[in-house]
Structure formats: structure tokens, C-alpha cells
Amino acid sequence: MLSKVIIPSFMLVAQTLAHQNLHQFWVNGVTPGYQVGIRMPPSNNPVLDVTSPDIACNVNGESGVGVAVIPANAGDTIQVQWDVSTHPGPITHELQGPVADVTKSTGSGTWFKIQELDYVNGQWANEVMEANSGLFSFKLPANLPSGQYLLRSEMEALHASQTINGTQWYIGCMQLAITGPGGTCSPTYQLPGAYHNTDPNIYISDFYYGFTASTFTAPGSAVATCVAGGGGGTKTTAVTTTKSTTTPAKSTTTPAGPTTKTTTTMVTTTKSTTTPVRVTTTTARVTTTTAKTTTGGGSSGGAPLYGQCGGAGWTGPTTCAQGTCTYSNAYYSQCI
Ligand SMILES: *[C@@H]1O[C@H](CO)[C@@H](O)[C@H](O)[C@H]1NC(C)=O
């Protein structure tokens, strides 16, 4: 009798907390509406296969025809609202573009990261958001060329990351028409392509046994630097855009947010904590790659175009049959 009651109610709770979607966003405090401008997936289930095209813009995210394109300006504050979750993990945002018509973009291809919040002061990004009703804010880079873009919101859920393919990916892609002064952002990386199910920030075998969360950095590259390009723009301080401003432009139009001040503190601290980790990891990668290059006998002419050609733990070819082996992040170099 007792177990009859307990088991179903536990499963119900687990199921409720286990899934989430991005439902709404604001540009400088103004929202186009609930689920407007977002390529909504058919369910709130996670993507599990990092090599699937779904890793770009979620299930059914390959076309945005019929989905609104929302105007924004470079440098604007974007606020997203996710379903509240208890999944430990980071939140990142990426851009793809510019293109003439984003509704035709499939999402597969080149992205650059514009925001990342991992684990800071004893809290994962999802906990910071949970305390703020699922709301999270960041800025678009100031130096962007005008055009239409996909804005990708990713929440990597690590609670089952101790098994291969256990990490869950919650993704929402928004369609923006951005007016900007021009600019160039780097580094970039490919989705699908840049993620591998055994990457150390995707498969974490010791997640519940001694893993040091404060060393974690989300997959993909570091946050891109966007510099002014073309005629007459002044060079802007890079990267600053990302984690500096969490305060919603107009908290009056947002559903909640009593803890906005706390969130701001967390986010601001992120950069200093994260940066040293990246440097360390990068050094390790360079060492590994060099060793491989000298020892690893020239296999069959190198990796194919868009194939992997380096990264921590990579045992495959380190030369390219086509293209140039290009560093993407500590765990991934690619022939492009
Ligand atoms: C992980 O997922 C991929 C893609 O679905 C599959 O090919 C592979 O066999 C899986 N690996 C394990 C260990 O489950």
C-alpha cells in the first residue's frame, strides 16, 4: 500500500522537474509574446545525441518558416525565460549569422558564443536562474554586422553526465533581425561537430564523486570577442558584453525577479573564476597535440573536411586531407 503511493508520486515529481523549454524572451525589456520568435520543439524532452542536427536548434528546429523574426540592436539586453529546473549545469548563448532570411537557416553550421555562466560561488547557472523564476539576462555584442541571426539558448543538464550519452541538452533558438555597426566575432565553432559524447565537459564519470564543479567550462569555444570592423568604428572592449549586465532593462514588464541583485553579483564574478581554468586547459591541449603530431604515424592522409583533427584525448589524425586544422577549443580542432 505504502509503496503504491510513494513510487508514483516520486515519478510524477521527477518527471515534472526533468524537462524544460525556453518559452519567452525580451529585448530591452519588451517581449514579442509567449513562444513568439522561438522555434518551439514538439516536446520538452532533452536532446541526447550531440552529433544530431537537433543539437543546433532542437527537434524540428531546422526551419523557422512561419516563426516571427524579432528586431533588436547590437548591444541590446536580452532576457530569456526557461522553465525552472533542478538540473545542475551551465547556461550559454550563441549567435549564428548574419543572413538575409533567418527563417531559412537550418541551424547546422557556424556559431559563436556570446555568453556563458557555469558554476560560481557554489551555484550552477540553473540554480541562479531558479532563484530568479527561470529568468536570465545578457547583452548582445556591441560590434555586430546588421542582418538576421539565430540566437541559441543552451542549458546543458549534467545530473546524468556520469554515463555516456546521459547528459541532457535543452535548446531554444530565437530569430532576430539585428541592426548593428558591423564587426567580426571569433572564435567560432560548428554545431553539430564541436561536441563529442566523451568530451570531459559532457561525459563526467566522477560527477558525483569528487568532481570539482568550479573547474567546469561549458562546451564550444570561449565567449567570442567581437571587434569593430569596416569603416570608422572604434575598437570596443571585447567580451565585456557577456556577463556584465544581468539586470533586466525593465523589471516591470518581466514576470518576476525579486532576487535580481543577487543574480547580478553571481554573474559578475563568473569571468574571473572561469578565465584561469581555460588557460590551464588550453596549455594541456597544446601539449597533447604536439605529442600526437610527432608520434602518430601519418595515417591515411588526414581528417576529412569538417572532421576532427585535434583536442584533449583525441587519438585520430592530426592533419587534414582537406582544409586546415583549426583550433576550436581545448577539446576540439577541426579541418575547415
Ligand atoms: C551514444 O549515442 C550515439 C548516438 O546515438 C551512439 O551511436 C552510441 O552507441 C552511444 N554510446 C553509448 C555508449 O551508449
Side-chain angles (χ1 to χ4, degrees), residues 48-51 164-165 197:
L48 297 174
D49 182 356
V50 295
T51 65
I164 290 180
N165 295 334
N197 63 359

Side-chain angles (χ1 to χ4, degrees), residues 6 22-23 26 72 86 98 101 108 125 131 151 153 163 187-188 204 213 220 222 224 226 237 287 292 332:
I6 290 171
L22 170 72
H23 292 286
W26 289 255
T86 56
D101 180 2
S108 290
L151 170 60
S153 188
T163 58
T188 61
I204 306 176
C226 297
T237 43
T287 309
K292 292 245 160 65
Y332 192 68

